[in-house]
Amino acid sequence: MGSDKLTQIPTQEDDPPNPTTALLSFNTTTTHHPPRPITTTLLLVTLLLTTAITLSAALAFAFLFFSSTTAEATSSHTPISHFSRPLQKLTHPVVILVSSDGFRFGYQFKTDTPNIHRLIRNGTEAETGLIPVFPTLTFPNHYSIATGLYPAFHGIINNYFVDPINGDSFNMGSHEPKWWLGEPLWETVANHGLKAATYFWPGSEVHKGSWSCPAKFCMNYNGSVPFEERVDTVLSYFDAPSSEIPVFMTLYFEDPDHQGHQVGPDDPEITDAVARIDRMIGRLIKGLEKRGVFEDVTIIMVGDHGMVGTCDKKLIFLEDLAKWIEIPKEWVQSYSPLLSIRPPSGYSLSDVVAKMNEGLGSGKVSNGDKLKVYLKEELPGRLHFSASERIPPIIGLVEEGFKVEQKGSERKECGGAHGYDNAFFSMRTIFIGHGPQFARGLKVPSFENVQIYNLVTSILNIKGAANNGTSSFPNTVLLPCKSI
Ligand SMILES: [Zn+2]
């Protein structure tokens, strides 16, 4: 099956499209130019200037460093360590990966979130949020977090899609291993003979490698399970003897995505949902503290994507393109925000794209300038959204907050959506790492969620599978071990 095999995973290290250019640019630093004739005076002046610049830069850096560490010390009241902190009670590192679906970056300021802020204050945060992968949808992103792979490589290219090779349909209840490529964290952990526990996560019910979704440690998805019960079950794993405690656990909450779709990101319902998630984080912290393991356990709190408001005036109808080209609904695999189209064989794909864009750019199609259609190979490379047969050949990128529909209707609605270009700030979510290997009060620049896989395997000190993350990334975020 062509679409089942995982071929050539480019890591972020070899991301530049032309490896030769990349190699050359690395070489420039080590290239030795022949010395040019120069007067001693000029050399002396240059040397003095360089020294002055270096000194002032060093002083400025030292000032920034000390002023930031002072702020850190006064705000957190905890001793600063430049090395990872030794485990006090547990015999091995444990990572709890928590996902709050649709937790848009900035929601943490909607209301008082004392528990989330406790993790932020004493942990490491992506200062301007975590960048989801494209398309910024739930299943593709959760599985990118779990595998470190872009959707084109892990195979879950949408929440639902059709495999063009055999015509089989994937939906969010599909648990056959053939859909789920790559190696998710629970499988990596099981392959090392260690225990993992999943309290819901897309893909976690799929049997892969040594992971057989054991009844005791792998919950079958059921959205009606109260959040409290989920937290308490995860906490109960810590009541086992230390050697029996799973080294990796997932914990998933559907909120505030659920409310975000119905009412958009700026509604009192979102504020309530955020406050509830904060209470769940508080319940988790309290339970770990009660068991004396809070400082030993690593909590990584993330979301899968953000949310943006949509409204009935921000629509684009494919039927409005009929003057240029008819797009029957049978061609369309998904409408919005990820427009994906697979015309039957016999049609010229580039002709379809050209005619659609001609109509959209004509000024005669309502909101036509808010949608641009591409052959998938011609999408911006930063989206990493072409290297899979499962991805339909024609993809539309729609402007933030706009939606694509087949035809106009009388339906009036405002709500929220995600799935847009991951460059939009509204699609960002949160990343907070709290635990022995995370510095306290540290802010790191935003990064893509494909980096999380390597971060977790690094904390657990196990070898991970090949993925799209950067192997050196954990060194830039985690504290080093104290050398003896
Ligand atoms: Zn989601």
Side-chain angles (χ1 to χ4, degrees):
M1 233 27 78
S3 62
D4 283 0
K5 64 172 187 257
L6 182 65
T7 48
Q8 255 198 327
I9 301 156
T11 65
Q12 292 213 334
E13 284 105 324
D14 50 40
D15 216 10
N18 183 346
T20 325
T21 327
L23 210 61
L24 280 174
S25 68
F26 283 125
N27 279 346
T28 46
T29 49
T30 51
T31 305
H32 296 283
H33 296 287
R36 290 180 192 151
I38 191 165
T39 67
T40 320
T41 326
L42 190 59
L43 189 68
L44 203 64
V45 170
T46 316
L47 271 172
L48 276 170
L49 268 173
T50 319
T51 317
I53 292 165
T54 316
L55 262 175
S56 52
L59 279 171
F61 179 76
F63 172 75
L64 279 174
F65 178 77
F66 285 114
S67 52
S68 67
T69 46
T70 314
E72 187 185 305
T74 48
S75 65
S76 66
H77 304 287
T78 36
I80 300 157
S81 169
H82 298 291
F83 295 103
S84 61
R85 302 175 286 277
L87 296 177
Q88 302 295 327
K89 195 167 171 190
L90 294 176
T91 52
H92 55 75
V94 174
V95 175
I96 306 178
L97 182 60
V98 185
S99 166
S100 170
D101 203 311
F103 198 109
R104 171 174 165 165
F105 180 76
Y107 276 3
Q108 68 272 34
F109 305 116
K110 281 219 174 260
T111 183
D112 283 342
T113 50
N115 299 298
I116 292 172
H117 273 89
R118 182 172 170 191
L119 296 182
I120 293 174
R121 203 167 53 245
N122 293 313
T124 295
E125 183 193 23
E127 188 163 22
T128 47
L130 178 66
I131 304 169
V133 294
F134 180 79
T136 53
L137 296 167
T138 300
F139 268 53
N141 271 278
H142 273 99
Y143 205 51
S144 282
I145 295 169
T147 58
L149 295 168
Y150 291 113
F153 299 98
H154 67 48
I156 309 301
I157 55 121
N158 202 331
N159 289 339
Y160 51 91
F161 57 89
V162 175
D163 185 329
I165 308 288
N166 50 28
D168 290 352
S169 293
F170 171 87
N171 62 52
M172 292 184 273
S174 303
H175 295 148
E176 302 97 322
K178 65 173 183 176
W179 298 110
W180 304 83
L181 312 180
E183 187 181 298
L185 282 163
W186 44 86
E187 184 190 349
T188 305
V189 166
N191 287 349
H192 281 81
L194 300 167
K195 283 195 180 71
T198 53
Y199 211 120
F200 303 160
W201 201 278
S204 61
E205 291 145 283
V206 180
H207 295 213
K208 277 173 71 64
S210 315
W211 176 253
S212 56
C213 187
K216 192 177 166 198
F217 288 127
C218 171
M219 302 301 152
N220 292 318
Y221 182 68
N222 174 1
S224 67
V225 177
F227 291 176
E228 288 81 0
E229 190 180 323
R230 306 180 194 189
V231 174
D232 294 350
T233 304
V234 164
L235 287 170
S236 74
Y237 299 147
F238 289 92
D239 297 330
S242 192
S243 61
E244 296 291 306
I245 300 173
V247 304
F248 174 71
M249 307 175 191
T250 69
L251 177 57
Y252 169 80
F253 304 115
E254 290 84 353
D255 295 356
D257 180 77
H258 171 67
Q259 295 82 356
H261 282 289
Q262 293 169 340
V263 295
D266 296 308
D267 186 281
E269 265 194 54
I270 298 294
T271 312
D272 293 345
V274 168
R276 185 172 173 219
I277 292 297
D278 187 70
R279 287 198 298 277
M280 292 308 117
I281 298 298
R283 193 179 182 98
L284 181 66
I285 294 174
K286 214 170 176 182
L288 293 172
E289 279 184 324
K290 204 177 108 193
R291 291 163 176 84
V293 293
F294 175 54
E295 289 300 333
D296 277 3
V297 170
T298 299
I299 297 175
I300 296 179
M301 182 180 179
V302 296
D304 51 347
H305 51 72
M307 185 68 67
V308 70
T310 56
C311 229
D312 47 51
K313 287 197 181 78
K314 294 185 172 181
L315 295 174
I316 301 146
F317 301 113
L318 292 184
E319 70 166 12
D320 291 354
L321 293 173
K323 210 175 116 191
W324 293 270
I325 182 165
E326 295 259 9
I327 306 288
K329 64 177 190 310
E330 293 73 30
W331 293 14
V332 183
Q333 291 223 346
S334 64
Y335 282 92
S336 202
L338 178 69
L339 175 65
S340 58
I341 299 173
R342 190 186 295 280
S345 54
Y347 281 85
S348 155
L349 298 173
S350 41
D351 191 45
V352 174
V353 167
K355 283 183 172 149
M356 286 183 78
N357 282 331
E358 194 190 328
L360 291 166
S362 67
K364 290 173 186 154
V365 170
S366 180
N367 295 319
D369 58 333
K370 302 296 190 295
L371 172 66
K372 185 145 192 265
V373 182
Y374 295 81
L375 287 173
K376 67 179 177 184
E377 295 81 10
E378 289 171 6
L379 281 168
R382 61 183 172 77
L383 298 176
H384 306 277
F385 201 61
S386 67
S388 165
E389 283 159 331
R390 294 179 182 178
I391 301 171
I394 298 174
I395 299 292
L397 290 186
V398 62
E399 271 295 335
E400 193 175 24
F402 284 79
K403 284 169 86 175
V404 183
E405 292 182 3
Q406 185 68 26
K407 54 183 183 176
S409 74
E410 292 304 302
R411 200 155 47 100
K412 299 280 178 217
E413 58 168 25
C414 288
H418 55 87
Y420 300 91
D421 190 333
N422 62 350
F424 294 133
F425 202 81
S426 58
M427 293 298 109
R428 286 201 190 173
T429 179
I430 47 163
F431 172 90
I432 309 160
H434 181 284
Q437 296 181 53
F438 283 107
R440 297 194 190 277
L442 180 70
K443 309 284 182 206
V444 294
S446 291
F447 56 89
E448 285 190 340
N449 65 18
V450 293
Q451 303 289 6
I452 293 173
Y453 179 91
N454 287 340
L455 206 54
V456 174
T457 54
S458 209
I459 294 168
L460 298 178
N461 199 21
I462 55 176
K463 191 173 160 26
N467 65 83
N468 296 125
T470 318
S471 55
S472 59
F473 179 77
N475 304 334
T476 65
V477 175
L478 299 177
L479 292 167
C481 289
K482 200 164 197 167
S483 49
I484 305 159

